[in-house]
Amino acid sequence: MSNNQVRVRFAPSPTGALHIGGVRTALYNYLLAKQLGGKMLLRIEDTDQTRYVEGAEKYIIEALSWVGITIDEGIGVGGPHAPYRQSERKPMYMDYAMQLINSGKAYYAFDTSEELDAMRQALESQGSAFQYNAVTRVKLNNSLTLSEDETKAKIEAGEPYVIRLKVPAKEEIRFKDIIRDWVHVHSSTIDDKVLMKSDGMPTYHLANVVDDHLMEISHVIRGEEWLPSAPLHVLLYRAFGWESTMPQFAHLPLLLKPEGNGKLSKRDADLGGFPVFPLAWTNPDGSKALGFREEGYLKEALVNFLAFLGWNPGTEQEMFSMDELVTAFSLERINKAGAKFDINKAKWYNQQYLKLQSDEELAKTYLPDFESDKAIKIVHLFKERVTFPQEITQEANNLFTAPETFDATIVASKWNVDAQTSITAFAEAVPSIENFVADEIKHTLHDVFEKLGIKMGKVMQMLRVAVTGAGAGPDLMLSMEIMGKDEVTARLTKALNELPNL
């Protein structure tokens, strides 16, 4: 590895929207690279062309950019190991597969699906499961059972074949995972995986190992679902003679359903009404999937939430900026156990980060149609009460829509002679308030109640109902200031006309 530099990669397949678990994987790669002064690569693994989805690659790039993950090398950036799209590296993989054939570490297999089915049925009838391995390969149609001339003749005749790894029959495979410590697997449990498909495309296993080696990847940080493949990849590094420069592995814990029983899926998200994709996505069949961005989650909140899904800093601190995460992060503090996807925690983070934004910034972004000073007051009124920024827009619209009905429960318990008398008096006093701001409104209200000898506490909830229709809400004085004198007067008059005369 050149200069022992940390080099990590995020290598998704363009098969649809990027799952939020993939974003977490990319985030952990990014944090490690930034902390150790390394490089973050983006590689597109599109060897399975049958699953390719138009627009998926662009989506991946946009999603990573939105959450603040900067790519140093790879797709969209370029670099010394281009191309970074595996389909464009296709000719090279056959050269490496041939290297394994020539060294006796791989072989040609000409078996038809019918031949493999026959072998499978024969073994199953004896109570054994079929595996293409050291035991069965000597009975099948491959270059290990055919002569060199027979093999050559089949290839020259254009007979379809795949190239399989010749897995050693009795070998201990062990490697150290940064998160899971030592992993031990016996080679007898691994089948002779296909490395090159009959269409000339490499499988994930070959392309992944070759590319990680050529791109000098120092750490492979990926999901737990790839842990069963890791021993095979170790075997490939050995077969190529690259074991001394093999990357360190770290297999991340699964993201679990909110209740903790099983892997998080899109169906769980649909049932729970929450997203599992960073950005909204339209599937080829026209169906749509929710996105965290479009649902109103701030990228800072999402990053903080994702960082804690499997990792903890070992302190009580919960709020981390990206720079603080870079400083605090370590692979050793990632848990082995799966992490519950608690969407309520994501909402909590969103509330916290929303509160940290300035009133001016939120007003400019979410209330562009309102006059600036009024927009800032509206944001200040609602910012502490909402979870998503678009709710400020909704609340602002509600603020300027007179109520059609009045809270029946409050009216039943609070609408009395004192309430009618004091609200009538206040309605008459409102037009005389010269500077219609919260403090002056409150001062006038105090004067009205004092002159009438009525305690404010007994009537305030009913006053709120008269103005807004609801029994609870944000600061009423500031709400009335934002509505303006004429609107408040009109609402009080409407309430007094529509509520029973006592």
Side-chain angles (χ1 to χ4, degrees):
M1 206 151 299
S2 58
N3 305 319
N4 293 319
Q5 184 187 52
V6 168
R7 289 172 62 81
V8 300
R9 80 328 188 249
F10 181 55
S13 298
T15 55
L18 178 63
H19 191 275
I20 203 68
V23 180
R24 184 194 62 169
T25 298
L27 175 63
Y28 285 175
N29 274 279
Y30 175 79
L31 293 176
L32 184 74
K34 291 300 151 195
Q35 184 183 84
L36 300 178
K39 298 282 187 186
M40 170 79 172
L41 282 71
L42 175 62
R43 186 173 73 221
I44 294 295
E45 301 202 336
D46 59 346
T47 56
D48 189 348
Q49 291 289 293
T50 61
R51 298 179 64 220
Y52 177 81
V53 173
E54 191 70 38
E57 184 180 308
K58 182 181 177 184
Y59 176 98
I60 290 165
I61 294 169
E62 186 181 349
L64 296 179
S65 174
W66 176 62
V67 297
I69 294 174
T70 306
I71 301 303
D72 300 305
E73 183 180 325
I75 295 292
V77 180
H81 301 289
Y84 293 90
R85 195 175 287 109
Q86 285 185 336
S87 59
E88 296 174 8
R89 299 167 68 82
K90 178 180 173 181
M92 175 193 72
Y93 299 118
M94 182 57 85
D95 294 339
Y96 283 94
M98 291 307 300
Q99 184 180 318
L100 293 180
I101 290 236
N102 293 334
S103 64
K105 302 292 175 60
Y107 59 93
Y108 298 104
F110 301 94
D111 314 280
T112 64
S113 57
E114 290 80 12
E115 288 170 336
L116 292 175
D117 283 342
M119 174 66 81
R120 183 176 291 107
Q121 288 169 15
L123 285 170
E124 286 176 356
S125 68
Q126 299 168 23
S128 301
F130 172 65
Q131 198 176 28
Y132 206 125
N133 58 17
V135 176
T136 57
R137 65 191 176 209
V138 296
K139 303 170 187 174
L140 289 161
N141 189 10
N142 54 57
S143 58
L144 301 177
T145 58
L146 299 166
S147 69
E148 192 174 329
D149 288 343
E150 286 173 318
T151 300
K152 186 178 179 184
K154 282 178 177 288
I155 293 171
E156 288 178 351
E159 198 168 314
Y161 66 84
V162 297
I163 296 177
R164 290 181 179 271
L165 178 66
K166 188 180 178 184
V167 175
K170 296 177 182 178
E171 197 166 304
E172 175 84 10
I173 304 155
R174 64 195 295 267
F175 64 94
K176 191 167 187 178
D177 186 283
I178 296 171
I179 297 168
R180 296 159 198 284
D181 205 23
W182 285 101
V183 176
H184 300 261
V185 175
H186 197 270
S187 63
S188 61
T189 64
I190 302 172
D191 60 338
D192 291 359
K193 293 288 187 203
V194 173
L195 302 180
M196 291 294 295
K197 294 176 277 191
S198 56
D199 63 0
M201 285 296 280
T203 60
Y204 166 82
H205 304 294
L206 178 68
N208 172 271
V209 167
V210 168
D211 287 346
D212 282 348
H213 173 74
L214 294 179
M215 295 178 186
E216 302 179 285
I217 299 303
S218 63
H219 295 74
V220 168
I221 306 168
R222 60 190 178 189
E224 183 183 306
E225 62 271 22
W226 291 112
L227 187 58
S229 299
L232 172 69
H233 298 165
V234 171
L235 279 179
L236 275 167
Y237 280 107
R238 286 185 192 173
F240 281 118
W242 300 336
E243 197 170 5
S244 63
T245 58
M246 187 171 73
Q248 295 183 62
F249 291 104
H251 288 90
L252 307 175
L254 291 174
L255 295 187
L256 303 177
K257 299 177 184 185
E259 57 274 21
N261 59 339
K263 186 178 178 181
L264 178 72
S265 69
K266 182 182 179 299
R267 184 172 180 275
D268 299 316
D270 290 343
L271 290 172
F274 60 85
V276 285
F277 301 115
L279 316 178
W281 169 258
T282 302
N283 292 299
D285 64 5
S287 61
K288 298 183 184 295
L290 301 176
F292 275 91
R293 181 178 67 183
E294 289 75 14
E295 290 300 295
Y297 286 87
L298 304 175
K299 63 181 181 180
E300 299 86 355
L302 182 59
V303 164
N304 210 146
F305 170 63
L306 289 179
F308 273 72
L309 285 178
W311 170 85
N312 74 82
T315 66
E316 295 300 310
Q317 184 178 345
E318 287 191 281
M319 301 280 288
F320 284 80
S321 66
M322 185 72 92
D323 287 343
E324 288 172 329
L325 284 172
V326 166
T327 302
F329 183 73
S330 73
L331 290 172
E332 289 75 14
R333 292 204 64 85
I334 293 176
N335 304 316
K336 295 177 192 175
K340 289 183 186 179
F341 196 83
D342 182 359
I343 196 64
N344 289 323
K345 191 66 177 182
K347 291 177 181 178
W348 179 84
Y349 272 117
N350 217 55
Q351 288 173 326
Q352 305 314 307
Y353 279 98
L354 197 55
K355 291 174 187 176
L356 291 175
Q357 292 205 7
S358 71
D359 294 349
E360 291 78 9
E361 186 180 357
L362 287 169
K364 186 177 179 182
T365 305
Y366 296 99
L367 298 175
D369 298 333
F370 286 83
E371 182 268 320
S372 178
D373 287 348
K374 183 169 282 190
I376 291 168
K377 288 176 183 177
I378 294 169
V379 167
H380 184 75
L381 184 65
F382 293 111
K383 190 169 75 171
E384 299 281 329
R385 304 177 62 87
V386 300
T387 300
F388 302 107
Q390 68 269 26
E391 291 174 351
I392 295 173
T393 310
Q394 294 162 6
E395 294 288 0
N397 292 331
N398 293 339
L399 198 62
F400 293 100
T401 304
E404 293 293 323
T405 59
F406 303 99
D407 189 313
T409 305
I410 304 300
V411 171
S413 62
K414 301 286 186 179
W415 183 241
N416 51 37
V417 174
D418 281 353
Q420 184 175 1
T421 302
S422 54
I423 291 173
T424 300
F426 177 60
E428 292 169 352
V430 164
S432 64
I433 303 173
E434 289 186 20
N435 187 17
F436 201 73
V437 295
D439 285 346
E440 290 298 316
I441 298 168
K442 189 174 184 179
H443 180 71
T444 300
L445 194 60
H446 269 290
D447 284 351
V448 167
F449 280 97
E450 195 172 326
K451 286 175 184 174
L452 294 171
I454 296 172
K455 289 185 178 179
M456 280 183 67
K458 289 185 175 181
V459 179
M460 282 304 295
Q461 194 173 25
M462 194 58 230
L463 175 61
R464 178 183 292 279
V465 169
V467 175
T468 69
D475 186 296
L476 183 59
M477 303 304 134
L478 184 54
S479 296
M480 288 193 283
E481 176 185 330
I482 295 167
M483 290 176 194
K485 188 191 297 187
D486 292 345
E487 178 66 20
V488 170
T489 301
R491 290 191 184 197
L492 290 171
T493 302
K494 179 177 186 288
L496 290 166
N497 288 335
E498 294 183 10
L499 290 167
N501 187 32
L502 302 172

